[in-house]
Amino acid sequence: MTQQSIALDPASRALARRRPDPVTEPRAVRWVLIGIAILFLVLFLVLPLLSVFYQALSKGFGPFFAALADPDALAAIKLTLLTAVIAVPLNVVFGLAASWTIAKFDFKGKSLLLTLIDLPFSVSPVIAGLVYVLLFGAQGWLGPWLQDHNVQIIFAVPGIVLATIFVTFPFVARELIPLMQAQGSDEEEAARVLGASGWQLFRRVTLPNVKWGLLYGVILCNARAMGEFGAVSVVSGHIRGQTNTMPLHVEILYNEYNFVAAFAVASLLALLALVTLVLKLIAERGVREELGNKS
């Protein structure tokens, strides 16, 4: 019996014993909350995913693979992969530079830089696409100069890449900034005192400390790059076989009532979502293990 329980009178001790643990809910409440969560997952995640694959395979594997082998579908898949291959590495470079700058240095305009990084989260992707049209379109500010030099950005691959970079560039930076801020700069300062160069400092100290957060940001960035619709739709021109990414190709097929082909391509995007989820769980586990080892 502790000193605290001895100090209490018998009535107070009986009341304390009857009082439930404030962090423990009754079993009925827990089961209700768990049931609601499972119900929402089934209704809004599991059933939609199953319906996509069901519709894609409703007429068998032959039409399914024929839809994926269609030249327009292959062109859309290639363009989606090309866009991600260009946009994601550029966002990795930007994210590392921005997070390093914000986490390791104090300077005027730091809050403004953080606000600008978050801008794509608050701006509609359609608005972002319209901004690029106003800048690089035929009637835009730089349109006449681009036409004179035979450079086409809008309704071409460069416009799609630029729009994708805009909507995805916060993901890597926003994963790394709080991680670098939490780690501080003690290890970097120690390495600097020991004579490490800037590149050695980054490669042997900073990068290993943020590798799981970087992987997490890359996964999210890649998923958004491949699935982006709004901004890409505005700048692409919907030129079949040339400027259609996978989401745009799904929309065209669906509007043409070609449901099997539409859901066949959509199933690839659904598989991408599932793979992203698995990789996300792996990255989260790596982050937890790394933090546990350091603690």
Side-chain angles (χ1 to χ4, degrees):
M1 185 176 293
T2 63
Q3 294 180 354
Q4 183 179 4
S5 62
I6 294 175
L8 294 175
D9 58 86
S12 299
R13 291 200 298 269
L15 180 62
R17 286 194 297 268
R18 290 196 302 266
R19 185 178 301 162
D21 189 345
V23 299
T24 302
E25 296 292 344
R27 179 173 298 180
V29 175
R30 294 200 302 267
W31 281 110
V32 169
L33 293 176
I34 293 172
I36 293 174
I38 294 175
L39 179 63
F40 269 75
L41 287 174
V42 171
L43 290 178
F44 298 107
L45 179 63
V46 177
L47 287 181
L49 284 175
L50 291 178
S51 66
V52 168
F53 291 103
Y54 174 79
Q55 293 292 337
L57 298 171
S58 60
K59 294 186 178 179
F61 286 96
F64 175 82
F65 288 112
L68 296 180
D70 181 76
D72 291 339
L74 292 176
I77 294 171
K78 291 178 182 178
L79 180 57
T80 302
L81 295 176
L82 175 64
T83 302
V85 166
I86 297 174
V88 173
L90 291 176
N91 282 325
V92 168
V93 174
F94 169 80
L96 286 170
S99 57
W100 177 286
T101 302
I102 292 172
K104 306 299 181 182
F105 303 102
D106 291 323
F107 55 91
K108 292 182 178 180
K110 187 174 182 178
S111 298
L112 177 60
L113 179 58
L114 279 169
T115 302
L116 293 176
I117 290 175
D118 290 337
L119 185 63
F121 287 142
S122 57
V123 175
S124 169
V126 175
I127 302 300
L130 288 175
V131 169
Y132 282 105
V133 173
L134 291 175
L135 284 174
F136 304 115
Q139 306 300 323
W141 295 347
L142 301 177
W145 184 88
L146 293 173
Q147 286 183 335
D148 293 339
H149 291 79
N150 197 27
V151 177
Q152 186 174 0
I153 294 180
I154 302 301
F155 304 155
V157 175
I160 296 173
V161 173
L162 287 174
T164 304
I165 290 174
F166 178 84
V167 299
T168 58
F169 80 79
F171 287 94
V172 176
R174 264 305 171 188
E175 291 299 325
L176 294 181
I177 289 172
L179 186 58
M180 286 189 178
Q181 288 176 333
Q183 290 174 347
S185 57
D186 294 341
E187 294 184 15
E188 284 86 351
E189 292 175 357
R192 178 68 71 182
V193 170
L194 293 174
S197 63
W199 171 244
Q200 290 174 332
L201 191 73
F202 173 77
R203 184 169 59 89
R204 296 184 179 181
V205 179
T206 303
L207 192 58
N209 286 338
V210 300
K211 61 180 183 296
W212 287 110
L214 178 61
L215 176 62
Y216 190 84
V218 168
I219 292 169
L220 296 180
C221 180
N222 183 72
R224 178 63 186 273
M226 289 190 175
E228 174 56 31
F229 179 85
V232 171
S233 178
V234 174
V235 302
S236 69
H238 294 267
I239 304 174
R240 200 160 187 164
Q242 297 183 31
T243 62
N244 275 341
T245 58
M246 290 170 64
L248 301 183
H249 189 61
V250 170
E251 182 197 28
I252 289 178
L253 293 174
Y254 189 85
N255 290 335
E256 293 176 348
Y257 302 101
N258 191 351
F259 297 124
V260 172
F263 281 104
V265 180
S267 66
L268 293 183
L269 293 173
L271 284 174
L272 170 65
L274 295 175
V275 172
T276 300
L277 179 62
V278 173
L279 294 176
K280 175 177 173 290
L281 293 174
I282 295 174
E284 287 178 341
R285 181 179 300 177
V287 171
R288 288 195 299 268
E289 291 178 354
E290 185 171 308
L291 292 176
N293 293 334
K294 289 185 177 181
S295 62

